[in-house]
Amino acid sequence: MNEYTKTTALVAKGKTKEIWGTDNSNVVIMKNLSNITADNDPKKTREFETKAISATTTTCRVFELLEQAGIPTAYIKQLSETEIIAKSCNMIPLEVIARRYAVGSYLKRHPELKKEEGILPHRFHRLCFELFLKTTGGGLTIDGETLIAGLTPDEDDPFIGNPYDAQWMLLHPKTTDKTPLGYVDSRKVLPQHIEIKQIEELTRKTFLVLEGAWNNLGYRLIDFKLEFGMTNAGELVIADVIDNDSWRLRTPDWEELSKQVFREGHPLNEVENKYARVAQLVSLFHIPMQTIVCWRGSENDKLPEISNIAGLTIEQPVISAHKKPTFAMEELERLHTVYPEGGVIIALVGMSNGLGPILSARTDWPVISVCTTANEHPEDVWSNLRMPSDVPNLTVLSPKNALLSALDILGQKNPVIYAYRRLAIEALDK
């Protein structure tokens, strides 16, 4: 990207950030402020000196990870300690929420899931996806038309009870009251050609990538909120920021690290320290360079289909451990040299599997053997199963299942692989 010159045009100003124009109409500069807010109550707004720096660092590292994962965002690059260069967007007035655990306002709408103190919160196997209409001062006006008005401060950002319907029913965001606060035509909120399905898909992918990244560091992503925008080129992107105001985040022992500690009235210096800690942690986000080695004894052994995933390389050696054991060991050493962050070997072999057992005795990488002749010659499976001591060879009959197992293993370190597998697993609950 070219460098851009900041203009004196203040495009927009919110409670925690300013948007400035540049000499390129497709690009803006977003400046984070030192304010921290709570409960839409201006009287609760406070400041601490490092807030803008922590927010900028967190947002930049998060968006850089998402870009590497192939998720479209408005992010271009970090400009300074408190400024971000981003694509100019028309923001969609929705707060998009994904939840792994039932906490916060969700429990106010679903008190049946509330647990006693000391009991772990309810965990959603499939992410809970929710939409709220983003309102200001009790209303929303788009293109001069007032879509909703007269909401009280407690009713602001109402919950959309039926997001896939054409006419949205707006409900109280923090109570069990099912009395509609109003109705809004969804097509007057959503840009042309954009469907909720697209927003939900990107939200799920984003949450799962970040959940995988936090899992790798031993932390729990409880929930988060996103905002979406349309670039001048008509691309749907994740916009605004994703920082410590955007999620609930907890340590391995369930200590809260996010903005929730400010809402709960903790001392401001404690809040500041937690924001700085999170900014340091996201700088550790990482997509490792790993490999799945589809190792065959013969060109005739069929390879499983493997998706293109960030950080994952596919190696395809064809070396018989029976006929060329020296070459096989040299190839194994090469793989360890090239991929210090690890890999999984799938040994695709027919009769008399020597490849899988020999490799599994000589590497700490998982080795999964697939007997490619099992259907025609079931007796060939025995050479995959009867192992001597200290030979941890695993056997799977289906090449596809062997691949999925390999992805599950690598996904413990790679947040993009983790998201890929979780999406498929959670889709079973549709």
Side-chain angles (χ1 to χ4, degrees), residues 19 30 107 141-142 159 232 235-236 255 288 308 388 413 428:
I19 308 297
M30 181 167 58
L107 291 178
T141 299
I142 297 179
F159 174 63
N232 293 345
E235 182 185 19
L236 178 68
E255 174 194 352
N308 184 22
K413 289 178 65 176
L428 298 174

Side-chain angles (χ1 to χ4, degrees), residues 20-159:
W20 291 84
T22 72
D23 54 0
N24 184 328
S25 61
N26 295 318
V27 174
V28 295
I29 293 175
M30 181 167 58
K31 180 177 177 60
N32 280 303
L33 306 176
S34 295
N35 297 339
I36 185 168
T37 63
D39 304 326
N40 288 323
D41 185 351
K43 294 179 181 177
K44 295 183 179 180
T45 299
R46 298 290 184 272
E47 292 184 42
F48 57 84
E49 185 178 354
T50 61
K51 169 64 161 57
I53 296 173
S54 293
T56 304
T57 300
T58 302
T59 290
C60 292
R61 301 298 86 79
V62 165
F63 276 103
E64 286 162 5
L65 176 68
L66 297 180
E67 286 284 329
Q68 291 178 61
I71 295 173
T73 78
Y75 178 79
I76 296 176
K77 69 176 184 178
Q78 184 170 357
L79 180 62
S80 71
E81 283 188 329
T82 61
E83 295 174 307
I84 299 168
I85 298 176
K87 300 170 188 174
S88 179
C89 290
N90 289 317
M91 299 301 292
I92 301 172
L94 291 173
E95 278 201 350
V96 185
I97 309 293
R99 304 181 189 275
R100 178 61 76 196
Y101 295 93
V103 299
S105 66
Y106 187 88
L107 291 178
K108 295 179 180 179
R109 287 178 284 112
H110 296 275
E112 71 278 6
L113 292 181
K114 190 171 184 178
K115 307 286 186 176
E116 295 181 10
E117 187 174 349
I119 304 297
L120 298 181
H122 175 81
R123 182 182 188 274
F124 298 105
H125 174 75
R126 175 173 166 80
L127 288 174
C128 175
F129 169 79
E130 296 184 317
L131 290 181
F132 296 78
L133 189 67
K134 194 170 176 64
T135 55
T136 303
L140 175 65
T141 299
I142 297 179
D143 295 331
E145 181 181 356
T146 299
L147 302 184
I148 187 77
L151 300 178
T152 68
D154 283 344
E155 296 168 343
D156 252 343
D157 300 338
F159 174 63

Side-chain angles (χ1 to χ4, degrees), residues 136-197:
T136 303
L140 175 65
T141 299
I142 297 179
D143 295 331
E145 181 181 356
T146 299
L147 302 184
I148 187 77
L151 300 178
T152 68
D154 283 344
E155 296 168 343
D156 252 343
D157 300 338
F159 174 63
I160 300 173
N162 53 341
Y164 278 94
D165 292 348
Q167 193 78 0
W168 285 343
M169 178 174 62
L170 306 181
L171 302 174
H172 198 291
K174 298 177 182 177
T175 72
T176 58
D177 188 354
K178 300 299 182 184
T179 305
L181 301 174
Y183 296 87
V184 168
D185 183 346
S186 65
R187 291 312 333 167
K188 292 182 178 180
V189 177
L190 295 173
Q192 191 176 12
H193 307 308
I194 296 300
E195 303 292 339
I196 291 300
K197 181 179 179 180

